Amino acid sequence: MKILVVGAGVLGLTTAFNLVEDGHDVTIVDKTGPYAKASSRSFAWINANHKLPAEYHLLNRAGIAAHDEFQKRFADHGTWFHQHGCVMFDSTPDKSSGLDERFTESAELEYPVERIDSDRLRELEPAVSWPTDSGLLFPLEAHLDNEAFGSLVEGFLEEADVVPEVAEVVRVETNVDGTSVEFADGSTRIFDQVIIAAGADSGMIADRSGLLLPVADLSQPGPRTHSLLGVTAPTDVNLNRIIISDKINVRPRSDGSMFVQIPSVEARTEEGENPELLDEVQTVMEAELESLFGQHIPVDKVIFSGRSFPEDGLSIVGYLDEHHRAYSLVTHSGMTMAALLGRLVADEVRGDASQLLDVFRPSRFAEGVTPESPTNFIGRQ
Ligand SMILES: Cc1cc2nc3c(=O)[nH]c(=O)nc-3n(C[C@H](O)[C@H](O)[C@H](O)COP(=O)(O)OP(=O)(O)OC[C@H]3O[C@@H](n4cnc5c(N)ncnc54)[C@H](O)[C@@H]3O)c2cc1C
């Protein structure tokens, strides 16, 4: 089949890769270029932690397994999936950040979790000055070198002569025979199917096409749709795994730097991106890093980053039109599920519908949209 993938973020790339493997004639376009948006600014914690309902937890969990398989399959290309687990701690005096609830919830879902004491905390991460004597370890969880993963998949596509074109899709029109796609340069091209994996802009493309795909509008920033992501300078601090807490979320990067998020400043995304905010957040990040590692670690930049956020908080995966010509692939857990969803979309294009996706179909919005408004999204990405 002749298939267009719209968007060369992590989801568009993995989808194109699987479609090429299945022998389709694939074109992939991006209005800016590969990895221009959320995929390049992602904390990339690979997890199924507190991702509810149970169907969403299972989908994310399958996402972790798919990354593991992908890493093993292409092990001779390097290591980008670091499955060293995630340590979670609560520094509040009254232990109010909900770790006990997370433990119970995870145990009920049979999601591996261990209570760990101060000796184990020190053994796992000797470089950390732990502000607590207990925590949780989620051994299945991982961090992904998001740039390395994207480059790898893009490289595989290039080997198959599929190179992302810089082109902007305006709208699509489907009929029983195929899809006519209108581009911003005024051209129109015909495909058998179109996969809309344009992140936060997917809703806009669907809207212009008369299709229903409710994705949050990024023009009204806030903690649901935006996050403040810090990137430190490379450091000699030896951090092995992701740490998530009420004070700071931090994880290592392959060049020795770290990604940082601070739960208490996320609400300030409502102020919109401005230099004063970024400077203030940088100062808070450096203070929290110093408190965690006992040394000054410079934060090189703070990125005001937009998420692709389906209005009800759950992934939107499936056909948008009655002719099964336009397919949507939008989720805010895209890093966790990229290796999985790319494969499932290709299976569905072949006609093998996945039960894992049953509750994530776009058709659920036919009855109306119930927006999710988490007060603090961080720690659930
Ligand atoms: C700060 C932050 C932290 C995050 N942390 C995590 C995490 O810890 N774990 C996790 O699983 N996920 C996390 N995410 C979410 C994850 O990064 C995203 O779900 C994922 O990157 C989405 O990938 P995507 O390919 O759908 O979108 P994107 O990466 O946004 O790619 C979409 C592409 O479509 C292109 N495009 C848009 N409109 C058009 C058009 N009209 N025509 C052609 N091209 C178009 C854009 O240029 C863009 O390159 C985080 C996100 C952010 C921002």
Side-chain angles (χ1 to χ4, degrees), residues 5-14 29-47 51 56 60 67 142 146 165-171 183-184 196-202 204-205 208 225-229 242 244 251 261 266 303-309 329-338 377 380-381:
V5 177
V6 185
V10 73
L11 293 176
L13 288 174
T14 54
V29 297
D30 195 293
K31 71 175 180 185
T32 315
Y35 254 52
K37 296 283 173 100
S39 300
S40 65
R41 307 148 177 196
S42 184
F43 193 72
W45 168 28
I46 305 305
N47 75 95
K51 289 190 177 167
Y56 192 52
N60 279 271
H67 269 301
N146 41 334
E165 285 176 41
V166 176
E168 179 175 352
V169 167
V170 178
R171 61 186 292 276
F183 288 85
I196 301 175
D201 291 344
S202 301
M204 212 165 20
I205 298 172
R208 290 192 295 248
T225 51
H226 287 74
S227 184
L228 290 151
L229 183 71
I242 293 210
I244 301 283
R251 63 94 154 172
Q261 291 177 309
E266 287 286 296
I303 307 169
F304 191 90
S305 201
R307 292 192 180 91
S308 37
F309 196 87
L329 176 55
V330 185
T331 182
H332 65 69
S333 294
M335 280 298 154
T336 297
M337 296 196 283
F377 184 74
R380 290 185 47 205
Q381 66 263 55

Side-chain angles (χ1 to χ4, degrees), residues 111-179:
Y111 185 55
V113 56
E114 296 164 29
R115 288 193 194 275
I116 52 177
D117 62 13
S118 53
D119 288 346
R120 185 88 169 107
L121 284 169
R122 272 197 301 274
E123 183 195 335
L124 288 168
E125 296 296 346
V128 172
S129 309
W130 292 103
T132 171
D133 58 7
S134 64
L136 299 180
L137 174 68
F138 294 90
L140 274 190
E141 298 183 357
H143 61 277
L144 184 80
D145 292 331
N146 41 334
E147 296 283 357
F149 180 68
S151 300
L152 181 79
V153 179
E154 206 186 327
F156 289 151
L157 287 173
E158 267 170 37
E159 282 169 19
D161 288 330
V162 177
V163 177
E165 285 176 41
V166 176
E168 179 175 352
V169 167
V170 178
R171 61 186 292 276
V172 304
E173 196 170 316
T174 67
N175 60 43
V176 70
D177 298 319
T179 311

Side-chain angles (χ1 to χ4, degrees), residues 86-376:
C86 162
V87 173
M88 213 173 260
F89 75 85
D90 178 354
S91 71
T92 59
D94 53 353
K95 303 286 176 217
S96 58
S97 78
L99 246 55
D100 281 341
E101 289 80 356
R102 285 226 189 198
F103 182 86
T104 307
E105 179 186 292
S106 301
E108 280 171 8
L109 289 163
E110 295 180 18
Y111 185 55
V113 56
E114 296 164 29
R115 288 193 194 275
I116 52 177
D117 62 13
S118 53
D119 288 346
R120 185 88 169 107
L121 284 169
R122 272 197 301 274
E123 183 195 335
L124 288 168
E125 296 296 346
V128 172
S129 309
W130 292 103
T132 171
D133 58 7
S134 64
L136 299 180
L137 174 68
F138 294 90
L140 274 190
E141 298 183 357
H143 61 277
L144 184 80
D145 292 331
N146 41 334
E147 296 283 357
F149 180 68
S151 300
L152 181 79
V153 179
E154 206 186 327
F156 289 151
L157 287 173
E158 267 170 37
E159 282 169 19
D161 288 330
V162 177
V163 177
E165 285 176 41
V166 176
E168 179 175 352
V169 167
V170 178
R171 61 186 292 276
V172 304
E173 196 170 316
T174 67
N175 60 43
V176 70
D177 298 319
T179 311
S180 165
V181 180
E182 194 182 310
F183 288 85
D185 65 2
S187 64
T188 299
R189 293 194 237 169
I190 306 294
F191 297 88
D192 294 311
Q193 293 206 15
V194 174
I195 315 294
I196 301 175
D201 291 344
S202 301
M204 212 165 20
I205 298 172
D207 201 36
R208 290 192 295 248
S209 311
L211 301 167
L212 183 60
L213 179 52
V215 180
D217 175 8
L218 292 190
S219 66
Q220 302 287 322
R224 188 171 81 122
T225 51
H226 287 74
S227 184
L228 290 151
L229 183 71
V231 187
T232 74
T235 148
D236 55 6
V237 167
N238 184 25
L239 178 69
N240 303 297
R241 52 181 59 72
I242 293 210
I243 297 176
I244 301 283
S245 74
D246 55 301
K247 284 175 96 65
I248 183 169
N249 296 347
V250 59
R251 63 94 154 172
R253 300 181 77 215
S254 56
D255 65 354
S257 65
M258 302 177 196
F259 275 149
V260 195
Q261 291 177 309
I262 304 289
S264 62
V265 299
E266 287 286 296
R268 295 196 60 190
T269 48
E270 279 172 8
E271 297 168 26
E273 184 170 5
N274 65 79
E276 293 78 23
L277 173 66
L278 300 188
D279 282 353
E280 283 172 40
V281 170
Q282 182 178 12
T283 306
V284 177
M285 286 178 171
E286 288 182 347
E288 289 296 350
L289 283 165
E290 187 154 356
S291 150
L292 194 66
F293 294 107
Q295 71 178 75
H296 179 68
I297 299 173
V299 171
D300 278 351
K301 62 179 168 182
V302 177
I303 307 169
F304 191 90
S305 201
R307 292 192 180 91
S308 37
F309 196 87
E311 282 289 9
D312 65 353
L314 301 175
S315 312
I316 313 178
V317 190
Y319 286 103
L320 293 163
D321 67 316
E322 57 179 317
H323 309 295
H324 283 199
R325 299 288 175 184
Y327 192 103
S328 78
L329 176 55
V330 185
T331 182
H332 65 69
S333 294
M335 280 298 154
T336 297
M337 296 196 283
L340 173 75
L341 291 177
R343 184 62 254 158
L344 294 186
V345 174
D347 290 348
E348 297 216 316
V349 165
R350 203 182 45 227
D352 291 338
S354 168
Q355 283 186 355
L356 270 178
L357 296 173
D358 277 354
V359 301
F360 303 104
R361 301 303 184 191
S363 53
R364 69 183 184 268
F365 297 110
E367 310 275 297
V369 181
T370 310
E372 193 204 10
S373 1
T375 46
N376 192 357

